[in-house]
Amino acid sequence: MKRLLSLFILLFVFVVIIQTFERPARETIMFFPIDPTVRFTQAQTKLSLHPKKKETRYIIDWIVTSSLDRTAYLRQDISLLFANGRLIAIQSKWKENGKKLIQQKQLEQKGSRLFQAISYHQGELHNGNDIRSSQKMSGDALYVIDSSFAPLQSFRKPATNEQKKWASTLNKQTQAIVNKAANQMATILSKDDYYHLYLTELVQYNEQPFMDLTTNETETMIGNLWEGLYKNYFLGIKKQNGSMESPIGSTVPLILIKKDYSQLFVVTETADGELIILKQLLDFKQ
């Protein structure tokens, strides 16, 4: 029997330290029940490579666009860009009484890299005292080959044997970085008890529910997850010694969802190598 979601308790803990977080005065992401009558007419994240180098570096163009089918009380988009498994940049924009948001950033980079971006688009809608949400995710991935033995090039899917070799190499480098945190978690939790995926893979659940969950339950879990990620990862990571650290340089967050949907963990390694574990408690009642 499908479980009905009656309560979704969102708490984040750093290892064993339970903390509460207050909503910022204006710019924020806060999940409210989904309004099924509202939809995004556009939600896109796009990465592209400028064809010419700037001295020894090349330029990545990173564009995030979204449009709701009506004016929302608050529109907000956030986006994260990873290279070879580590966060290199973030973007965020919000607008009161808005429908459409556009963000663009250019980044100078060097060396062959796998770029992965994921964005969360949200609208907060008010009808008197009734507050609802609309949400969607988008993402993109781009391989860039910057080698003295080959011309500067980029591709999303490898087409030639050379590109397949480069993609395999960059995939292995990325996996080696992100798997370090996963391997450490394997010594703490039983891997067989959890569904696991990386944040950049979450986009696929725009169109399909998690196993054993309804579409509405899946949307609720994702919305609350992004609310927590925004407050406790995107805006800064609180380390075990109490200090705050920028998420830049941290690994792609690993999401571990317990198969009975009682809890999930978000795991990342900071730029200086500290393992951070965020825990989200879920309560599904019959």
Side-chain angles (χ1 to χ4, degrees), residues 166-233:
W166 275 111
S168 177
T169 298
L170 292 174
N171 288 340
K172 288 177 181 178
Q173 290 177 3
T174 300
Q175 283 301 123
I177 290 172
V178 299
N179 282 349
K180 184 179 176 182
N183 292 337
Q184 290 183 72
M185 285 301 294
T187 66
I188 301 172
L189 303 173
S190 173
K191 187 176 180 180
D192 292 339
D193 292 338
Y194 291 83
Y195 301 117
H196 56 280
L197 73 163
Y198 290 97
L199 181 63
T200 49
E201 300 173 314
L202 197 61
V203 177
Q204 64 187 295
Y205 293 101
N206 267 332
E207 308 299 337
Q208 62 179 325
F210 280 92
M211 187 177 297
D212 296 327
L213 292 185
T214 66
T215 298
N216 185 64
E217 290 170 347
T218 298
E219 289 176 337
T220 301
M221 184 162 67
I222 288 172
N224 277 288
L225 173 61
W226 275 105
E227 178 181 336
L229 284 169
Y230 179 75
K231 294 176 182 177
N232 307 312
Y233 179 74

Side-chain angles (χ1 to χ4, degrees), residues 32-40 69-70 125 130 132-135 215-216 219:
F32 295 97
I34 295 292
D35 186 336
T37 68
V38 182
R39 68 184 183 91
F40 278 90
D69 66 358
R70 67 200 67 188
L125 303 113
D130 184 33
R132 301 279 173 171
S133 293
S134 184
Q135 66 184 20
T215 298
N216 185 64
E219 289 176 337

Side-chain angles (χ1 to χ4, degrees), residues 65-85:
T65 58
S66 67
S67 185
L68 205 61
D69 66 358
R70 67 200 67 188
T71 299
Y73 174 82
L74 183 65
R75 275 290 346 272
Q76 179 149 308
D77 286 356
I78 63 172
S79 189
L80 303 98
L81 179 60
F82 301 89
N84 290 356

